[in-house]
């Protein structure tokens, strides 16, 4: 079987970060990390990538703007013809930084806001003033016409603020709102108790679907694969949120709208760590290959990794995920399956849905 098209790469160019976020997957700290890829090594990976794919490159960290040669990296990525975007905490954005990002071809940035007010965001991010600094940086982006999206990690700390976070994103001129659902790894393992229950998770995604079907901006849940099931099951004129008097449109009825897919990790997306490890995402810390060992040959890992082949074989997933009629558009979160049950091919632990096949089998057993 040939490898699927590689559409998206998250390239962690550094793990350094001055914030101390409660959920940080990399347990990032404001210090130097040994073994980080050099500029030359990053260029070699991008050169190899250009030989077989045309993905969007997400320059990420840590805080990528804390790396002195970040603009050399974004410029090289753009010069190789990749659409280049950057994920930042926002506190290092100013008129000069935004101008340099635009000059090097960065077409969009993402900035994380985990609360619609300073008290919630700063408590989650571990640094007083983080909220105001992010908003100040976003204002610089808006002034210079650099497109931005807002990312928000949802936990029990802030799940009641989904609509407020969306409204804040809308009010400050964001092009998109991307809510993330917590994966308990890194420092996130210390707040695993704040992760949403399966019922809370389902309810949050239904609320997000209601926003997505009415919002003028792009809404794309991440690390939330069963959103693909939820959005497909909404019927025209259905009211997906309790208390809503406004009917929504089915997703197919919106001009230019494409139905979202679930987990694309290892299928159309990879994460490259600060030391050159290739993973299906930043949240499943199992290497599919080591770029230093392959001579920067990402193509060989993408096309030949046995680990990636297993991830792509969704029919072989265990439990509900393998039996589910939505397995090819959802796939469950492989990282949550691994960290909660020890099996990255196991069923998604935060899903309430019972596949039709299992319902039928249960009904037959009852007879």
């Amino acid at each position: 079987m040939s490898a699927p098209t590689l559409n998206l790469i998250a390239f962690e160019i550094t793990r350094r970060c001055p914030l101390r976020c409660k959920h940080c997957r990399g347990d990032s700290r404001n210090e130097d990390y040994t073994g980080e890829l050099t500029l030359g090594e990053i260029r070699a990976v991008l050169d190899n990538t250009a030989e077989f794919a045309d993905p969007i490159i997400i320059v990420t960290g840590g805080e990528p703007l804390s790396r002195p040669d970040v603009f050399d990296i974004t410029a090289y990525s753009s010069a190789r013809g990749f659409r280049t975007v950057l994920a930042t905490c926002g506190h290092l954005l100013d008129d000069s930084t935004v101008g340099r990002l635009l000059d090097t071809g960065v077409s969009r940035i993402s900035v994380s806001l985990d609360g619609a007010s300073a008290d919630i965001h700063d408590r989650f991010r571990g640094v007083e003033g983080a909220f105001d600094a992010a908003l100040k940086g976003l204002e610089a982006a808006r002034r210079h016409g650099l497109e931005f999206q807002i990312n928000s990690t949802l936990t029990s700390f802030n799940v009641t603020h989904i609509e407020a976070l969306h409204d804040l994103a809308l009010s400050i001129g964001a092009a998109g709102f991307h809510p993330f659902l917590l994966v308990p790894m890194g420092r996130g393992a210390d707040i695993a108790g704040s992760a949403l229950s399966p019922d809370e998770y389902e309810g949050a995604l239904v609320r997000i679907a209601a926003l997505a079907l009415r919002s003028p901006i792009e809404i794309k849940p991440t690390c939330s694969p069963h959103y693909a099931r939820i959005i497909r099951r909404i019927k025209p004129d259905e009211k997906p949120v309790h208390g809503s008097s406004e009917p929504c449109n089915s997703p197919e009825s919106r001009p230019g709208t494409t139905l979202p897919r679930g987990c694309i990790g290892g299928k159309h997306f990879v994460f490259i760590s600060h030391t050159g490890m290739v993973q299906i995402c930043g949240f499943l810390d199992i290497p599919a290959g080591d770029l230093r060992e392959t001579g920067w040959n990402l193509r060989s890992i993408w096309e030949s990794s046995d680990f990636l082949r297993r991830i792509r074989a969704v029919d072989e997933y265990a439990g509900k995920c393998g039996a589910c009629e939505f397995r090819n558009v959802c796939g469950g979160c492989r990282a949550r399956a691994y960290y909660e049950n020890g099996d990255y091919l196991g069923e998604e632990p935060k899903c309430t849905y019972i596949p039709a096949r299992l319902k039928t089998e249960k009904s037959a057993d009852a007879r």
Side-chain angles (χ1 to χ4, degrees), residues 24-94:
C24 180
R25 59 163 182 81
D27 193 17
S28 293
R29 303 176 188 280
N30 194 18
E31 60 187 42
D32 291 332
Y33 284 81
T34 60
E36 290 196 335
L37 296 178
T38 66
L39 175 60
E41 291 171 332
I42 291 171
R43 285 174 170 169
V45 175
L46 294 173
D47 287 342
N48 177 263
T49 301
E51 294 176 4
F52 76 100
D54 184 27
I56 297 170
I57 303 294
I58 306 170
V59 179
T60 187
E63 171 50 69
L65 292 176
S66 67
R67 180 163 169 154
D69 58 359
V70 60
F71 302 110
D72 295 313
I73 294 169
T74 55
Y76 196 80
S77 175
S78 299
R80 290 300 330 219
F82 301 122
R83 182 188 176 200
T84 304
V85 299
L86 182 135
T88 173
C89 301
H91 66 290
L92 294 177
L93 292 173
D94 56 23

Side-chain angles (χ1 to χ4, degrees), residues 5 20 24 43 64 112 170 188 203 211 233 239 246-247 250 267 343 355 366:
T5 303
R20 297 186 294 275
C24 180
R43 285 174 170 169
S112 295
L170 188 61
L211 287 171
R233 299 183 81 204
K239 301 179 182 64
E246 180 184 356
S250 66
K267 300 164 187 172
D343 181 5

Side-chain angles (χ1 to χ4, degrees), residues 292-311:
R292 282 183 165 132
E293 291 182 357
T294 65
W296 320 115
N297 193 336
L298 177 61
R299 182 175 192 167
S300 68
I301 296 172
W302 180 252
E303 295 180 349
S304 305
S305 166
D306 182 64
F307 176 62
L308 293 183
R309 286 198 189 102
R310 297 191 73 195
I311 290 293

